[in-house]
Amino acid sequence: MPPKRAKGLKQSAAPAAKRARTEADTPSPTPGANDPQPVYVGEVDEEDDVAELVALATAAKAKLAAGDEHGKPLARGTVHEAQRLLNVETLLHAERRAVLLALATALVLLAAYDAKALDNSPTEVVDVATGHVDEAAAITENDKVVPGVPSVENVRAYVALSDAVLSDDAEALSKAVKELTAQLTGDDHETLAWLAQRRLETAEDVDAWADACTALWTSLATDATEGAETARELGQGLCLLAKATAIVEEQGELAGEDDGQVDKKVVKRARKMLEKAETHIKAAINTDSHPSAQHFVPLAETHVNLGTIGELLDESACSVCARYEQAVAAFKKAREHDPEAVDEDVVEGLQTTIAEIRAEEDDE
């Protein structure tokens, strides 16, 4: 069987899969996103401006982590209110520390999720946030208990890891993961992992960034947060899928050249990655009470890649079609959850390819 068909198939399926993962992982506008919205920030004394600020920063982080655009104005509001409070002369030491930590958190959120709204680069904003954490750490007096305020260590780790993610420096991220993840809460840990995962889509060195992301996902194993296991399995699967996809695409291009030669050893290495990715993604589906297109699209793409590898290695039509049929089933499952996740043309294209492969086999 000619591998050129596999190459063309991969190109037609990848955009839909990438689009689905990007939409699932990246905050997207919601109806009425610019309308004033009531925000519940928990049981907070309305006369305690600092406690309200801490709750506002926490709400902003939670919303942005969940893909809710309303987190952006909350983060901006946190910055403005924090700057106002820092000019209040009667602020107690513990209150000032809490305000500085909330401000640092909000600045990092804006750098990560709303960079276009910033006057400075994300890196510069993170540097400012780091300065606020340092100032907070220097305040040792505990003259008041501010409810809900995180520890200095927690915010410092969150800011530093965010800086590593935003820098696109895989080596720096791997180092930060080893040194700082123990200081993170479960929710912060998972949020940063997804932030790093999104940047894998545009990473120049896919292998290095995928390995750094994998280290971050693996470190999530110590978290008992609800959903952590599912997120960890899916994240690890996506990292392996990204690494393998890069190999398959490269080998597909080689197969399309005049001599049509591929490096079978490299292709088989990609297959092992994909088989591991499949295991992780299926584990994520099995441990999630509400699996979605975010799970089924990468599962489908894994099957597409495995089918492509079958063609590159000139394997039997039966085994190749079996993988493509599994991809069709997974894409259809994704569309059941979200009709916009995958273009129907992608599914129809796969079905046409399967029919062509079977027809070629019958003619031989």
Side-chain angles (χ1 to χ4, degrees), residues 302-325:
T302 300
H303 289 309
V304 170
N305 273 291
L306 286 166
T308 300
I309 284 176
E311 293 211 67
L312 290 172
L313 296 177
D314 199 24
E315 295 179 344
S316 71
C318 181
S319 64
V320 170
C321 287
R323 280 298 184 180
Y324 287 156
E325 285 167 350

Side-chain angles (χ1 to χ4, degrees), residues 39-46 51-52 55-56 59:
V39 178
Y40 176 72
V41 293
E43 297 294 334
V44 180
D45 184 352
E46 293 182 359
E52 281 197 326
L56 192 64

Side-chain angles (χ1 to χ4, degrees), residues 98-110:
V99 171
L100 287 166
L101 293 175
L103 177 56
T105 299
L107 287 172
V108 169
L109 289 173
L110 292 175

Side-chain angles (χ1 to χ4, degrees), residues 35 115 154 170 189 211 247 271 287 304 313 336:
D35 298 337
N154 170 251
H189 199 156
D211 287 342
I247 293 174
R271 169 180 278 167
T287 56
V304 170
L313 296 177
E336 288 177 12

Side-chain angles (χ1 to χ4, degrees), residues 257-275:
E257 295 177 357
D258 292 339
D259 57 6
Q261 294 296 314
V262 299
D263 188 330
K264 292 187 177 182
K265 184 177 181 180
V266 171
V267 172
K268 289 178 180 178
R269 180 161 61 88
R271 169 180 278 167
K272 289 183 178 180
M273 290 182 192
L274 289 166
E275 289 171 346

Side-chain angles (χ1 to χ4, degrees), residues 242-258:
K243 293 178 69 171
T245 297
I247 293 174
V248 173
E249 289 179 345
E250 180 183 35
Q251 293 300 312
E253 290 176 2
L254 291 175
E257 295 177 357
D258 292 339

Side-chain angles (χ1 to χ4, degrees), residues 50-213:
V50 175
E52 281 197 326
L53 177 73
V54 171
L56 192 64
T58 301
K61 185 192 295 184
K63 284 185 176 294
L64 288 172
D68 187 340
E69 287 282 297
H70 292 114
K72 293 181 181 180
L74 292 185
R76 291 194 291 269
T78 300
V79 171
H80 293 313
E81 178 64 4
Q83 291 172 336
R84 182 189 72 80
L85 287 172
L86 288 175
N87 290 319
V88 175
E89 295 182 359
T90 57
L91 213 60
L92 297 174
H93 292 94
E95 290 178 322
R96 184 174 183 83
R97 181 171 58 239
V99 171
L100 287 166
L101 293 175
L103 177 56
T105 299
L107 287 172
V108 169
L109 289 173
L110 292 175
Y113 295 99
D114 199 16
K116 292 180 180 179
L118 300 172
D119 293 329
N120 303 93
S121 71
T123 300
E124 290 172 329
V125 172
V126 172
D127 286 343
V128 172
T130 301
H132 291 319
V133 176
D134 290 340
E135 185 179 348
I139 301 173
T140 58
E141 292 86 348
N142 292 309
D143 44 8
K144 180 181 178 180
V145 175
V146 180
V149 64
S151 68
V152 171
E153 292 76 15
N154 170 251
V155 178
R156 187 185 297 282
Y158 183 76
V159 170
L161 270 164
S162 296
D163 186 28
V165 171
L166 294 171
S167 71
D168 290 330
D169 185 335
E171 184 177 351
L173 178 58
S174 295
K175 181 179 179 182
V177 168
K178 292 178 182 178
E179 296 176 351
L180 300 169
T181 50
Q183 302 296 333
L184 294 176
T185 64
D187 289 341
D188 287 350
H189 199 156
E190 186 176 332
T191 299
L192 284 167
W194 280 121
L195 184 62
Q197 188 71 46
R198 281 197 297 275
R199 299 179 81 84
L200 179 56
E201 296 283 353
T202 56
E204 292 185 8
D205 188 340
V206 173
D207 267 14
W209 194 255
D211 287 342
C213 286

